[in-house]
Amino acid sequence: MGERAKALTDAQKLLGDINRDDRIPTADEQAELDRLSKVADDCNDRAQLLEDENRIEREIVASTARGDDAGITSDDRARFDTELRAGIEARTYSAVVRFQPREDGGIERRLSSTTDAAGGALVPQDFLGRIYESRRDNSAVRACGPEVLNTATGRSIPVPRVTTRAVASHVAQGGTISRTSGQPVFDDPTLDAYALKAIVPVSFELLRDEDVDLVSWLSNHLGRALAYAEDDWFISGDGSGKPLGINDSTNGAMVGGTSTVSGGIAWPDVVKLQYSISGGYTGSAASTDQMMPMGRPAWLMGRATLGEIYALSDTTGMPLFRPRRDEGAMDMLDGYRVATTDQMPALGTGVRAGCFGNFYDGLIVRSVNEVRFDIDTSVYFETDEVAFRAVAEVDSHVRDRTAVKALVIKSS
C-alpha cells in the first residue's frame, strides 16, 4: 500500500505540473504516467489477492473451530491461550489461528508464524492497508485532491509560496521596465506535525473466539475516526496550535460569492462562485471519475447543503439537477466533482457553507509516515483486553487563497 501511495503521489505531482502549464504531456511524461499507473494497479491487485486469501483463511478457521471444539481438552485450551497471548505481544503482524492434527489424533490450534510452533500476532498483514484505505475513502478533503507531502519525520518544514504574483505592463519603445512594480512576493509558512490518536480496547476472549470479521470492523472504524478528525482540521483549523484549514474565515479561502437568498442558496450563487475562480485554476475541463482531481476544480460542502442544491427547481417545478446513482461514484454538480462531509458547516446566515476551486494549488497537506499502528497487551492488563491504537501526524496550510473560494450565506 505504501508503494501504491507513492506511485499515485508521483503521478499527482507530474499531472499537477502539466495542468498548471495548461499543456498536453510529452512522450516521456506520458510514458512515466503509464508506468506509475501500472505500478499502482499491480500493487492494488497484490493487495486484493492478500485480502482474499486472508478472508478465505478466516472462514476456513471459523468453520473448523465450530466442528472441532468438542475434541479440544483443557490442556489444549491452555496451550492455545498461552500461544495467542505470546503472539499478540510479538507484534509480528501475521495472523491466523490454524488447526493441526496431533500424533495422538487430537487437534491443536496454533498461530501462523515463520515457524510452525511459534506464536504469531493476531492482526493480518493487510490491517494497516485497510486503515489507509478507510481514511482515504472517508476523507472529503483528500478526495478534492490537495497536494499531499509525505515525510519520514515530523520536523518543521518551510513551504515557499507566492503572496503577490508578477504583473506585466505596457512599456513604450525604448522605455525602462520598472523593477519595483509588478514584482512577485514570497513568504514561507511552516508545516508542523500535529498528532491525531485513536485507541480501541478489545477483550481477549473476543479476539480468541472471533466469530465476526473484527479485523475489518476495527480497521474501518479507526480509519474513519482519523479521516473525520483530519477533515475537521483541514477545513476549519485556524493555524493556532493546529493545521490551517481551507475554510478558515481569516486566512483560509477567499470569499468568492454571497448567496442571493437570505439563509439559503440559489442556483445563481453556484454559477457565480464557479466563475469567480480564475481560468488558470480551473483548467480546460471538469474533473473525471477515472482519477483523483489533481489540478482540477472540485466542490466541498455538507451533504445537506448539496441536498438543498439538488432540490432547486426551474419555473415549471422540474429539478435543475439529478443526483448520481452510480454505485461508488462521487456526486457531480454542473460537471464538477463534489466531496461532502459533516465537518463542513451547515447552511446558515453568515456561514461559509461551501468551497469551490483548485485544491491542489489552494491547500497543501503534510502527512508523517502515513499512519502508525500499535498493539499492546499491558495497558488494559486488569481487564484482560488488548489495545489497538492508530496515530496520524498531519498538518495543512493554505497555499493560494485565490485558488479556492468560499460561498457565504447572505444575512439579509
Side-chain angles (χ1 to χ4, degrees):
M1 296 307 298
E3 184 181 352
R4 178 176 179 269
K6 183 180 185 304
L8 291 176
T9 299
D10 292 343
Q12 285 181 0
K13 292 180 179 179
L14 181 55
L15 281 173
D17 293 338
I18 295 170
N19 292 331
R20 190 176 296 111
D21 296 338
D22 194 19
R23 59 180 175 80
I24 62 174
T26 65
D28 290 341
E29 289 171 335
Q30 187 60 56
E32 178 65 7
L33 288 173
D34 293 341
R35 185 190 70 80
L36 292 171
S37 177
K38 186 177 186 306
V39 170
D41 290 342
D42 290 345
C43 291
N44 194 63
D45 291 342
R46 296 204 307 271
Q48 185 62 52
L49 179 62
L50 287 172
E51 184 175 351
D52 291 342
E53 289 176 349
N54 283 328
R55 186 188 70 254
I56 293 171
E57 200 163 17
R58 287 195 299 271
E59 291 172 354
I60 293 174
V61 169
S63 64
T64 307
R66 287 190 293 272
D68 294 331
D69 271 349
I72 297 177
T73 67
S74 58
D75 290 341
D76 295 331
R77 171 71 67 181
R79 182 168 56 255
F80 167 65
D81 285 355
T82 300
E83 289 184 351
L84 182 57
R85 293 178 187 276
I88 293 174
E89 293 171 354
R91 303 183 184 182
T92 55
Y93 302 126
S94 106
V96 238
V97 179
R98 296 187 184 278
F99 291 78
Q100 297 178 354
R102 294 199 310 264
E103 291 183 1
D104 59 6
I107 296 294
E108 266 185 6
R109 287 199 282 188
R110 294 189 182 277
L111 294 175
S112 67
S113 182
T114 52
T115 61
D116 217 20
L122 186 72
V123 179
Q125 294 175 352
D126 64 345
F127 188 92
L128 197 56
R130 293 184 189 181
I131 294 181
Y132 292 155
E133 291 189 349
S134 179
R135 182 181 69 166
R136 179 202 63 198
D137 293 343
N138 288 284
S139 174
V141 175
R142 289 177 183 268
C144 290
E147 181 174 2
V148 179
L149 178 63
N150 294 310
T151 62
T153 67
R155 65 179 180 83
S156 297
I157 300 175
V159 181
R161 66 175 179 178
V162 179
T163 58
T164 303
R165 297 188 175 278
V167 177
S169 58
H170 172 70
V171 178
Q173 183 175 353
T176 301
I177 303 174
S178 173
R179 294 185 177 183
T180 57
S181 63
Q183 296 299 308
V185 178
F186 295 84
D187 69 354
D188 57 344
T190 299
L191 285 175
D192 293 310
Y194 300 102
L196 291 170
K197 304 178 181 181
I199 190 167
V200 178
V202 181
S203 71
F204 176 78
E205 290 81 4
L206 180 58
L207 292 175
R208 181 190 63 196
D209 304 327
E210 180 185 3
D211 290 329
V212 297
D213 194 354
L214 183 64
V215 170
S216 291
W217 183 88
L218 276 173
S219 58
N220 290 331
H221 183 79
L222 292 171
R224 187 182 300 114
L226 293 176
Y228 289 169
E230 285 182 357
D231 273 359
D232 186 49
W233 270 353
F234 296 160
I235 292 171
S236 303
D238 60 9
S240 178
K242 63 176 71 70
L244 176 61
I246 193 69
N247 204 31
D248 176 65
S249 59
T250 305
N251 297 305
M254 294 180 63
V255 175
T258 301
S259 175
T260 56
V261 177
S262 180
I265 192 167
W267 174 237
D269 307 327
V270 176
V271 175
K272 289 178 181 178
L273 183 59
Q274 289 179 168
Y275 284 90
S276 70
I277 301 293
S278 169
Y281 296 118
T282 57
S284 57
S287 47
T288 67
D289 288 333
Q290 282 68 45
M291 57 174 36
M292 295 291 286
M294 298 161 295
R296 299 299 189 189
W299 276 96
L300 177 65
M301 63 180 69
R303 189 156 184 81
T305 301
L306 181 60
E308 290 290 331
I309 295 176
Y310 278 145
L312 296 175
S313 59
D314 59 21
T315 55
T316 65
M318 292 297 292
L320 294 173
F321 292 97
R322 296 183 184 275
R324 303 189 67 177
R325 301 299 184 192
D326 299 337
E327 183 177 358
M330 288 187 67
D331 290 310
M332 300 286 284
L333 181 60
D334 200 24
Y336 296 104
R337 295 165 62 107
V338 184
T340 57
T341 174
D342 292 337
Q343 275 60 50
M344 279 293 291
L347 281 171
T349 301
V351 173
R352 300 161 70 94
C355 289
F356 175 79
N358 185 328
F359 284 77
Y360 189 85
D361 286 329
L363 183 70
I364 183 169
V365 170
R366 189 260 185 96
S367 184
V368 180
N369 284 330
E370 288 295 340
V371 178
R372 189 173 81 247
F373 177 72
D374 301 298
I375 303 173
D376 194 273
T377 59
S378 62
V379 177
Y380 296 97
F381 180 80
E382 293 181 352
T383 55
D384 197 22
E385 292 176 302
V386 178
F388 293 80
R389 181 181 66 191
V391 180
E393 295 179 85
V394 297
D395 196 5
S396 64
H397 208 286
V398 177
R399 186 163 54 182
D400 190 336
R401 296 187 65 221
T402 61
V404 178
K405 295 188 178 181
L407 175 70
V408 178
I409 302 303
K410 191 177 180 181
S411 60
S412 62

